[in-house]
Amino acid sequence: MNPYPSSNQHNKHGHGAVGRTLLWLAIILSVALLAFVTLLAVRSNPLYSNAEANGISKYKFIEFCKDELNNKLNDFAKQPGGAAIGASYNARDIVSSVTEGILQAPAANATTPPPRTPGWEMVSQVKLSREGYPAQTVPFGCRYGKGKPVELQFPLQQQQ
């Protein structure tokens, strides 16, 4: 016989049962907290949007704008004298500057602004760095009207 009995030979319903109960309670509370945080995050999602009303979702609009900007930068880099361009995006700035609906220009005698039409508008900036030139921050805008392609306004000219 073993002179040192294991804990299973004594106290079958003692401290072990309390420990298991506390463990299950901790697991249940952790799952409940995770569900609560998930629900809060889903409700305050900055990329949530009404894709039916605006034509595309806010997330797709931002991705289309990034693609258009990347294409524009690649075309700029291929111009004569264009050095390789490295672009960095600040996604947080891009997301925070997106507005739902396109604001139309008001009429000359209008006292109230016209209603927004379905779509998205974005104003942001991109940091450009080129070999031989100092880094610069360049503003750009992007617009999408429901049923139209994404338009990019990017004031980039070749530096000599």
Side-chain angles (χ1 to χ4, degrees):
M1 288 297 280
N2 186 358
Y4 304 105
S6 70
S7 61
N8 290 338
Q9 291 176 345
H10 300 293
N11 268 344
K12 289 207 181 239
H13 300 293
H15 297 293
V18 172
R20 273 192 301 277
T21 303
L22 288 175
L23 180 63
W24 277 108
L25 182 63
I27 290 171
I28 290 170
L29 288 175
S30 297
V31 169
L33 179 64
L34 181 64
F36 177 72
V37 169
T38 302
L39 286 175
L40 283 179
V42 167
R43 284 202 295 172
S44 62
N45 182 356
L47 291 177
Y48 172 76
S49 60
N50 186 348
E52 286 181 25
N54 293 308
I56 58 174
S57 70
K58 186 186 292 187
Y59 175 78
K60 283 186 179 180
F61 168 69
I62 293 170
E63 291 302 311
F64 283 146
C65 285
K66 286 181 183 179
D67 290 344
E68 287 291 319
L69 181 63
N70 195 29
N71 291 341
K72 185 86 164 185
L73 291 174
N74 287 337
D75 291 345
F76 179 68
K78 292 174 186 173
Q79 291 178 1
I85 296 179
S88 61
Y89 310 101
N90 186 338
R92 180 166 296 171
D93 288 346
I94 290 173
V95 171
S96 66
S97 63
V98 175
T99 56
E100 188 169 354
I102 298 173
L103 188 60
Q104 302 299 319
N109 58 356
T111 56
T112 60
R116 291 184 175 270
T117 59
W120 299 101
E121 284 185 324
M122 174 175 71
V123 177
S124 190
Q125 54 191 9
V126 63
K127 186 173 184 178
L128 297 178
S129 59
R130 297 181 58 206
E131 189 176 315
Y133 295 98
Q136 61 182 355
T137 302
V138 180
F140 72 95
C142 204
R143 174 184 283 194
Y144 169 80
K146 189 172 181 180
K148 299 177 183 174
V150 173
E151 300 173 21
L152 178 71
Q153 295 92 34
F154 191 63
L156 190 62
Q157 282 109 21
Q158 181 71 35
Q159 295 178 351
Q160 298 296 329

